[in-house]
Amino acid sequence: MAIGNLANRFGIPVLIPGGRFNARMLRDHFKRQQSAEHEVTVNALRYISRNTTLPPRARIEAQLQMAAMPNYTKIMSTKNRCTLSGRGRAVFRAFRLNRFTFRQLARAGKLSGVIRAMW
Amino acid sequence: MPVVPNTLTPAALRLAQLIKLSCGVFNEVYNPTQIRTGAKYLKRKLKGHVTGSYYTPNSFPSVYDLKKHFPKEIQHRFITNEDKYKLHMTLARKRRGKGKPKKKDGPPPEDPKSKKK
C-alpha cells in the first residue's frame, strides 16, 4: 500500500500525492501540507499583529515572527494545478483539471454530469 | 472608553443600546467605535484540511495493493487495462520479430584488452 510514501523537502518529510505526479505537483503538495500545518499559528500571529488594542511591542513581535516563517507555510504560495497532468494554467477549479485533460476525460465519458453541448 | 458613546442624541443613544443588546443576544462583539481587534482572523473557518487534500490521496489502494491480499492462485486475475495493453504490444512486437533477443549460453567471452599479444 502507498501509505507512508514520503519524500523529503528541506529536511521535512512530505506525503507524496497518489497516482502520477511530477516535481511541480510535489512542490505544491508540500506547500499545501505545510500551510495546513501552520494555519492556526499564522491565524494567531495575524490576530495579534492586527489587534490595535494590544501593546505595540507584542504586535511588532508577532509581525516579525510571521515574516520569519518560511514561504512554504503561506497558503498564498500554493497554486491550483491539474491533479492529473500537473499543468498550472487553465485549471478548472471545480474539476481540478486542466482544460485539455478535462476535454479528454469528458469526451471519454469519464466525468459524471458533463455532456457535450447540443442545441 | 465609554461602552455607549454619551455624546449622542436620545434617538441615536436608544439605537446604540439596541445594538448592544442585540450583540449580547446573538453572541457578537459590541464594538461601537469600530476598533480593529483582529477578531475576523480568529472567526475565519480553517481551510487547511480542504486545501491540503487537493491532490489525489495516496492512501487509496491500487489494483496491485489489492492483489497482495488474495491467494496466489487467483492473483493473475488482477490485471489493469494498462497491463493488457502492454502485453498486447509485447506480443505484437514478438510476432514481427522485434521481441527480446535471446540470452547467450555459455561463459562470457574473454576481455580482449586483458589479452597479451
Side-chain angles (χ1 to χ4, degrees):
Chain A
M1 190 130 349
I3 292 172
N5 270 357
L6 293 172
N8 193 317
R9 194 159 169 77
F10 307 129
I12 301 164
V14 200
L15 270 175
I16 63 167
R20 178 191 166 280
F21 65 93
N22 61 20
R24 288 185 214 101
M25 286 158 82
L26 184 63
R27 204 181 293 165
D28 189 49
H29 193 55
F30 169 70
K31 286 179 195 168
R32 283 172 187 277
Q33 283 174 48
Q34 285 299 308
S35 60
E37 203 179 308
H38 291 84
E39 193 182 18
V40 177
T41 318
V42 169
N43 278 4
L45 288 174
R46 197 168 281 157
Y47 166 75
I48 296 168
S49 71
R50 308 278 166 90
N51 192 343
T52 50
T53 62
L54 290 176
R57 191 187 170 81
R59 290 179 62 194
I60 287 171
E61 268 177 22
Q63 282 162 18
L64 291 175
Q65 216 170 318
M66 251 201 302
M69 285 174 87
N71 279 344
Y72 55 74
T73 57
K74 277 142 203 169
I75 207 152
M76 291 308 290
S77 65
T78 59
K79 166 113 183 137
N80 283 358
R81 307 194 76 90
C82 174
T83 50
L84 292 185
S85 68
R87 199 173 145 86
R89 290 187 184 201
V91 176
F92 292 114
R93 228 180 296 167
F95 292 91
R96 299 178 183 180
L97 292 173
N98 161 37
R99 64 183 166 86
F100 185 59
T101 316
F102 173 83
R103 182 169 182 267
Q104 280 177 323
L105 291 183
R107 278 171 70 91
K110 288 182 180 171
L111 299 178
S112 61
V114 178
I115 48 167
R116 196 177 191 281
M118 273 190 286
W119 61 86
Chain B
M1 199 175 299
V3 178
V4 174
N6 48 16
T7 54
L8 293 174
T9 59
L13 187 68
R14 204 86 182 103
L15 204 61
Q17 281 169 344
L18 177 71
I19 291 166
K20 193 190 168 195
L21 198 66
S22 136
C23 283
V25 171
F26 295 108
N27 199 18
E28 286 164 359
V29 179
Y30 179 60
N31 187 2
T33 46
Q34 296 180 348
I35 300 164
R36 294 182 179 212
T37 60
K40 68 175 176 183
Y41 301 108
L42 296 186
K43 259 193 223 167
R44 264 179 203 168
K45 270 187 188 172
L46 293 177
K47 53 180 179 177
H49 62 286
V50 179
T51 54
S53 57
Y54 181 82
Y55 294 101
T56 324
N58 74 354
S59 55
F60 195 78
S62 70
V63 174
Y64 306 107
D65 297 326
L66 287 176
K67 200 172 163 180
K68 288 174 201 161
H69 298 281
F70 286 84
K72 278 202 171 173
E73 296 82 57
I74 58 165
Q75 277 192 5
H76 65 277
R77 289 190 205 165
F78 289 82
I79 294 171
T80 62
N81 284 346
E82 285 77 24
D83 289 342
K84 266 187 202 167
Y85 179 70
K86 211 172 171 183
L87 189 68
H88 163 77
M89 289 307 285
T90 312
L91 291 176
R93 264 189 224 112
K94 217 172 200 176
R95 278 199 299 276
R96 278 184 279 133
K98 306 272 182 185
K100 264 187 185 175
K102 274 185 184 176
K103 284 223 169 187
K104 273 182 183 173
D105 291 336
E110 276 183 34
D111 195 5
K113 278 179 189 172
S114 64
K115 258 186 189 175
K116 278 183 183 177
K117 281 178 185 176

